[in-house]
Amino acid sequence: MKARQIIVEKNAERLAQKGAALFYEQARDAVTEKGHFAVAISGGGTPREMHRLFSKAPLRQQIAWEKTHLFWVDERAVPYDHPASNYGAAKADFIEKLTLSGDRIYPMPVGVDPETNAAEYQRQLQSFFKGKNAEVPVFDLIVLGVGTDGHTASLFPTTPADISTDKWVMAVKGGDPDVLRLTLTLPVINRARQVLFLVSGARKARIVKKVLENEDPLLPAARIRPESGHLMWLLDTDAASLLARE
Ligand code: 6PG
């Protein structure tokens, strides 16, 4: 793993702006290098402010949306128009405002059978990355959040399945809301070229300290260590408030 970078921004608004700027830079570099940008985004509340910036100037024009392939890190097994749907939230926040073409948007399936959904998304990843000459998924960017219990994506400290699985997509149950979910697995996340954590608010300060300073291996967020990619933690001052000053 390359060196981990921690960036602290003044507040949630600045965090969203910085996150969006980093998103743009990864998109620009990926498109310059190979003509497309493959990114997986998370759900939860924290990224929504960043997502809302995507459809406004200057990100609306700057990001090569027509070359961007948008995947999800995790999804709750609820209909897309349910308030807890990660796809539904992103759709409202920027996808529909940008009128992005459906064939570059890859929401996780939410059909009745979780195992079928996991296999189906794994097939979609396989077919997309094979078409780009990659045998395994290597995202240009994966954006993550962290829960107060140290979960990230839908990888929970209590997830019974071994999070070191060789599957790319897993069905799990848990979290808040406590529902069935699909999640990308640790090996897929750790193969990304860049992993960006977005964390905001004082209620995250304790877990941020545990993950970044104690590196407790029981916490899924502490097991995110890209093999050869960059790991970046973008915090606001409240979330960073318990970190020892360097
Ligand atoms: C999900 C998420 C999850 C999220 C964290 C932080 O769909 O539940 O992807 O991993 O990132 O729970 O959520 P908040 O941003 O809402 O605190």
Side-chain angles (χ1 to χ4, degrees), residues 119-230:
E120 165 57 22
Y121 208 59
Q122 174 141 342
R123 252 193 312 277
Q124 288 188 33
L125 291 179
Q126 221 153 14
S127 124
F128 173 80
F129 283 98
K130 259 211 168 122
K132 310 288 181 208
N133 295 320
E135 286 302 313
V136 290
V138 180
F139 283 98
D140 298 306
L141 175 65
I142 293 188
V143 184
L144 296 175
V146 64
T148 50
D149 59 353
H151 80 261
T152 190
S154 283
L155 301 168
F156 298 98
T158 49
T159 302
D162 177 5
I163 62 176
S164 299
T165 173
D166 57 5
K167 286 185 188 169
W168 297 349
V169 185
M170 234 168 52
V172 296
K173 181 159 183 308
D176 179 18
D178 186 3
V179 291
L180 283 165
R181 294 155 176 259
L182 285 194
T183 184
L184 298 184
T185 59
L186 203 58
V188 172
I189 298 173
N190 278 338
R191 238 180 255 126
R193 298 168 71 154
Q194 169 142 14
V195 175
L196 172 64
F197 275 91
L198 289 185
V199 194
S200 154
R203 68 188 187 95
K204 300 282 177 72
R206 284 189 59 207
I207 198 67
V208 163
K209 186 176 178 67
K210 268 198 193 164
V211 172
L212 290 179
E213 290 180 357
N214 309 347
E215 301 187 17
D216 180 345
L218 296 177
L219 301 177
R223 297 181 66 181
I224 303 299
R225 299 175 154 274
E227 287 155 20
S228 54
H230 283 104

Side-chain angles (χ1 to χ4, degrees), residues 23-85:
F23 188 104
Y24 159 65
E25 282 167 22
Q26 280 303 111
R28 179 200 59 200
D29 293 353
V31 169
T32 305
E33 199 185 306
K34 56 195 169 66
H36 72 274
F37 174 50
V39 56
I41 60 171
S42 282
T46 314
R48 297 197 66 173
E49 207 163 330
M50 173 180 84
H51 290 169
R52 292 189 194 107
L53 297 176
F54 290 161
S55 62
K56 299 184 182 143
L59 277 308
R60 181 184 187 99
Q61 295 80 11
Q62 279 177 336
I63 295 174
W65 293 110
E66 70 294 349
K67 293 180 177 147
T68 296
H69 295 263
L70 188 63
F71 293 83
W72 270 261
V73 165
D74 66 342
E75 182 59 279
R76 298 91 180 261
V78 294
Y80 293 141
D81 58 1
H82 188 281
S85 166

